Amino acid sequence: QAKLIFTISLILGTTITISSNHWITAWVGLEINTLAVLPLISKSHHPRAIEAATKYFLVQSAASALILFSSTTNAWHTGQWDLTQLTHPVSCLVLTSAIAMKLGLAPFHFWFPEVLQGSTLTTGLLLSTAMKLPPMALLYMTSPSLNSTLLTTMAILSAALGGWMGLNQTQVRKILAFSSISHLGWMAIIITYHPKLTLLNFYLYILMTTAVFLTLNSMKALKLSTLMTAWTKTPSLNAMLLLTLLSLAGLPPLTGFLPKWLIIQELTKQDMIPAATIISLLSLLGLFFYLRLAYCTTITLPPHTTNHMKQWHINKPVSTLIAILTTTSVILLPISPMILTTL
């Protein structure tokens, strides 16, 4: 019963923010979202979960206050409460930092891995995908008036930190959090030049992340060490997880390559070749930890000298949703001309 209420509140909050035209309604939607997801994080009553919920609450309420502050300042100077009429430069800067805080863009990313580590995989999935939708929508609607230099700097910083800090993690949820941060960098670098491309990147990121989270959830894998012995459980699903992870890394024959390719193309059109080069090189850091995840999932056989627990092979069929998501997150590249017509 309670879960249903929280889910409905989440959908309601997201819908209010996405469909709003006035700053106050956008802010109300974000608040509803934050309050609805808090019980889902702290549901397990583990000290880690309570700590995660507290951190999440503090960061999100600070970001909401900043959004309210920037929109009020803008209204004070221009008399406009419209989302698209954000013209005051200070308001733009404050809003950019507030949305970066909401999303977990560097340098406001510190809360995100901690919160994800403290929550379950399903809640983690919500936090990495659905909770990023309202701030993304706000970013999309205000994109013409935002400061592109600031966003580019934050984007490259995100790609760098997301890559570097994910390198020495053993917890799967933290690795996925850092991967999310570096993906957000790719979305932020292009938002002022080609907002629709950011949305495309976001949708494909949601698709691939959902596939990975649901697969890991069905394997009950939270650490790299449990992933190593999980191959006996569902071998076919593991093979697909390998491809989905490489797709998240953005390797060419897979879906994840499409947004990266389009973004690099757009950046070169905008004469931002140094930025494109830097962010491309930084995505190699991400590739390293995805490869490590993939290596642990499928390629390693644990050493047979130690007595380790083999997990039972499940005859239960893989859920249809996971099957659809993993397949689409691997094979969408050939239909990219069709996707391009929508941009």
Side-chain angles (χ1 to χ4, degrees):
Q1 205 63 35
K3 227 175 195 176
L4 181 69
I5 294 171
F6 298 140
T7 318
I8 291 173
S9 305
L10 271 177
I11 297 168
L12 176 75
T14 309
T15 316
I16 289 176
T17 304
I18 291 174
S19 57
S20 63
N21 220 347
H22 193 285
W23 276 111
I24 298 294
T25 42
W27 173 78
V28 166
L30 288 169
E31 284 300 297
I32 294 174
N33 250 1
T34 305
L35 294 175
V37 88
L38 282 174
L40 296 176
I41 301 174
S42 57
K43 155 176 102 223
S44 61
H45 296 302
H46 190 275
R48 260 282 171 81
I50 307 297
E51 181 192 342
T54 314
K55 281 178 179 167
Y56 185 76
F57 172 70
L58 291 173
V59 171
Q60 296 295 324
S61 46
S64 290
L66 279 177
I67 286 177
L68 210 52
F69 172 66
S70 77
S71 52
T72 316
T73 315
N74 187 61
W76 180 267
H77 283 279
T78 61
Q80 281 287 347
W81 278 102
D82 198 317
L83 274 183
T84 50
Q85 302 288 325
L86 192 75
T87 45
H88 195 252
V90 177
S91 299
C92 289
L93 290 177
V94 174
L95 182 85
T96 310
S97 47
I99 289 183
M101 239 171 161
K102 280 258 176 220
L103 287 169
L105 257 177
F108 308 104
H109 63 285
F110 295 102
W111 62 274
F112 190 56
E114 299 294 323
V115 171
L116 221 61
Q117 184 54 34
S119 47
T120 58
L121 277 170
T122 33
T123 314
L125 169 63
L126 263 181
L127 288 173
S128 325
T129 55
M131 298 308 291
K132 304 221 161 161
L133 197 55
M136 256 312 168
L138 286 181
L139 204 56
Y140 178 76
M141 287 188 271
T142 53
S143 59
S145 49
L146 296 179
N147 183 341
S148 49
T149 321
L150 175 69
L151 277 165
T152 309
T153 315
M154 279 161 100
I156 289 174
L157 201 58
S158 289
L161 286 171
W164 259 306
M165 293 172 78
L167 288 181
N168 56 354
Q169 301 293 337
T170 54
Q171 296 284 344
V172 174
R173 283 168 295 185
K174 277 201 173 173
I175 292 180
L176 285 169
F178 287 118
S179 106
S180 177
I181 292 167
S182 57
H183 271 274
L184 281 169
W186 279 88
M187 290 174 224
I189 199 162
I190 203 71
I191 186 85
T192 47
Y193 303 107
H194 198 324
K196 279 190 175 167
L197 208 49
T198 300
L199 284 191
L200 173 72
N201 191 347
F202 185 55
Y203 296 147
L204 290 178
Y205 159 76
I206 285 184
L207 179 83
M208 296 182 286
T209 309
T210 311
V212 172
F213 265 106
L214 291 177
T215 310
L216 291 170
N217 195 34
S218 70
M219 290 178 186
K220 300 280 178 284
L222 295 173
K223 293 198 292 287
L224 287 182
S225 52
T226 42
L227 263 181
M228 283 190 180
T229 54
W231 62 273
T232 48
K233 225 175 179 181
T234 42
S236 54
L237 190 58
N238 262 17
M240 282 307 283
L241 181 61
L242 164 80
L243 288 173
T244 315
L245 284 166
L246 293 180
S247 183
L248 259 177
L251 285 187
L254 308 165
T255 307
F257 177 60
L258 174 63
K260 284 191 166 51
W261 166 41
L262 293 175
I263 286 172
I264 289 171
Q265 188 184 337
E266 186 60 37
L267 285 175
T268 43
K269 275 183 195 166
Q270 300 288 345
D271 279 339
M272 289 174 65
I273 296 167
T277 314
I278 292 169
I279 203 163
S280 310
L281 288 174
L282 288 173
S283 72
L284 291 176
L285 292 169
L287 175 64
F288 177 79
F289 61 74
Y290 290 122
L291 273 176
R292 201 165 106 207
L293 263 177
Y295 186 74
C296 283
T297 329
T298 45
I299 311 167
T300 47
L301 286 176
H304 290 293
T305 47
T306 51
N307 294 332
H308 65 273
M309 290 282 288
K310 277 273 194 356
Q311 296 184 2
W312 284 97
H313 188 100
I314 311 174
N315 277 334
K316 193 176 67 182
V318 178
S319 85
T320 328
L321 179 64
I322 297 181
I324 294 170
L325 286 170
T326 42
T327 315
T328 44
S329 54
V330 169
I331 60 163
L332 280 189
L333 192 66
I335 64 156
S336 48
M338 194 171 87
I339 297 173
L340 288 182
T341 55
T342 60
L343 290 182

